[in-house]
Amino acid sequence: MGEFELIRQYFAAAACARVGGDVVLGIGDDCALLALPAGEQLAVSSDTLTAGIHFPDPCDPYLLGQRALAVSTSDLAGMGATPIGFTLALTLPEADPGWLAEFARGLDAMAAGCAMRLIGGDTTRGPLSMTLTVFGRLPAGQGLLRSGAQPGDLLCVGGALGDAAGALPLVLGEREQGTAEAAALLRRYWLPQPQLALGQALRGKASAALDISDGLLADCGHMATASGVLLRIEQQKLPLSDALVRFAGRDQALQYGLTGGDDYVLAFTLPTEALQALQAEGWLLHVIGDVAVGAGVQLLNADGQAITLASQGYNHFSG
Ligand code: ADP
Ligand code: MG
């Protein structure tokens, strides 16, 4: 199977590659063409996933397809953008029809759930790796930046933390699967759900936001730096799932929730009135702390005393 036959059969023919919505021209020409409604801005983000670093190799290609698109689309959620489409630059060691069919089926499943369309890409031979670039749109000036947090705002997250990090020993085969807890954590690793609707609901309400990919403390550090404020996190307010606490024990679960990566849950700051407005709309949000004058991130115990931590999250080039 040649490069063009591969593109045609597995990607151009996929359900998610159909044109429509804001996609005027899809796969097959030199460029895709997107039509933006008047008054909207384009949101763009790229993520690379490399075998052995961002996912185990070998792994289930169906799950990999879903996870790759979910991880990339989560950046649109963190910006408050409405999804349009994505490109896929895929590097493969070989053209394995069974692998390609399952990978494309996984992409299709996640694309359907996120209203995303595959609009183009590139296909090359080499060690397994993929770069997805996602495109979204939002009303001009309403993007959720990391830089707007104000002293006095509340710090919130959109869901339970640490499950995907808790699943890593299972993903890597270091712990037995088979329990209900293990299955729940594995779902959170392989099938993160980008919080797109929440991101869009935060437009015009949140003062700052991002999606947590490197761990709560590390990502809050980015928001604190961009905003020039101190973010205070009350440790006992961290939302941890029952599955994670049962699987890992409370202390380890807390560590995963603070520093584990791959959650793809939104963290954001907002004034109290905005929290009440969102709760009135039915959003279940977790207030985990607040914004103060100062710099960096402070973790507080139940008595309000500052705690120091050795590790703050994942960084590819540190140490
Ligand atoms: P070019 O020579 O212009 O770079 P290619 O021959 O690489 O074009 O690709 C042909 C068409 O197929 C282009 O529209 C490109 O966007 C698309 N394409 C290539 N690889 C992929 C892929 N993995 N997934 C989706 N579309 C792809
Ligand atoms: Mg090309």
Side-chain angles (χ1 to χ4, degrees):
M1 179 172 32
E3 176 188 336
F4 301 107
E5 174 57 15
L6 184 162
I7 295 168
R8 194 195 60 73
Q9 190 170 337
Y10 296 102
F11 299 114
C16 63
R18 261 183 240 134
V19 297
D22 306 307
V23 181
V24 178
L25 183 70
I27 295 175
D29 217 307
D30 294 324
C31 290
L33 295 174
L34 307 178
L36 272 199
E40 304 234 335
Q41 289 174 331
L42 190 63
V44 183
S45 170
S46 288
D47 275 299
T48 296
L49 278 75
T50 302
I53 295 176
H54 302 96
F55 57 89
D57 188 27
C59 70
D60 180 334
Y62 175 69
L63 293 175
L64 180 61
Q66 292 197 65
R67 183 168 187 274
L69 183 54
V71 164
S72 310
T73 302
S74 181
D75 282 319
L76 294 180
M79 210 65 191
T82 302
I84 297 177
F86 67 103
T87 60
L88 170 67
L90 184 61
T91 303
L92 293 169
E94 58 180 340
D96 173 343
W99 191 96
L100 280 160
E102 281 301 283
F103 179 74
R105 200 167 68 81
L107 276 183
D108 245 341
M110 188 54 68
C114 295
M116 281 292 251
R117 294 169 194 273
L118 179 57
I119 62 171
D122 199 24
T123 307
T124 53
R125 189 188 286 264
L128 179 62
S129 134
M130 59 202 70
T131 298
L132 283 80
T133 300
V134 295
F135 300 84
R137 57 179 169 81
L138 41 78
Q142 285 199 32
L144 305 175
L145 311 188
R146 300 176 174 193
S147 54
Q150 298 292 327
D153 286 349
L154 299 169
L155 174 63
C156 305
V157 291
L161 302 172
D163 285 353
L168 260 192
L170 295 161
V171 171
L172 298 174
E174 295 164 5
R175 253 186 91 165
E176 281 296 310
Q177 306 187 11
T179 63
E181 290 86 44
L185 298 183
L186 280 168
R187 259 196 310 280
R188 287 290 306 272
Y189 177 86
W190 284 113
L191 302 177
Q193 301 296 318
Q195 297 195 294
L196 290 161
L198 175 58
Q200 289 162 42
L202 292 177
R203 295 203 292 235
K205 294 198 172 71
S207 48
L210 49 61
D211 73 311
I212 304 172
S213 54
D214 297 336
L216 177 71
L217 292 179
D219 284 320
C220 280
H222 298 145
M223 201 151 56
T225 303
S227 295
V229 296
L230 170 67
L231 296 181
R232 295 189 295 204
I233 299 173
E234 294 174 57
Q235 184 169 268
Q236 84 276 10
K237 290 194 177 165
L238 239 63
L240 303 171
S241 72
D242 292 341
L244 181 62
V245 172
R246 275 200 299 271
F247 182 80
R250 181 154 289 278
D251 287 353
Q252 186 62 51
L254 189 58
Q255 190 66 30
Y256 283 139
L258 288 168
T259 60
D262 295 330
D263 280 322
Y264 303 105
V265 158
L266 300 189
F268 49 95
T269 59
L270 74 193
T272 315
E273 318 82 74
L275 176 70
Q276 285 158 353
L278 287 160
Q279 285 169 332
E281 288 172 24
W283 288 103
L284 180 67
L285 305 175
H286 307 270
V287 179
I288 60 163
D290 64 5
V291 184
V293 175
V297 180
Q298 200 172 50
L299 188 63
L300 305 173
N301 67 16
D303 300 325
Q305 269 150 357
I307 307 166
T308 339
L309 275 140
S311 152
Q312 295 225 332
Y314 194 72
N315 181 326
H316 280 278
F317 294 102
S318 72

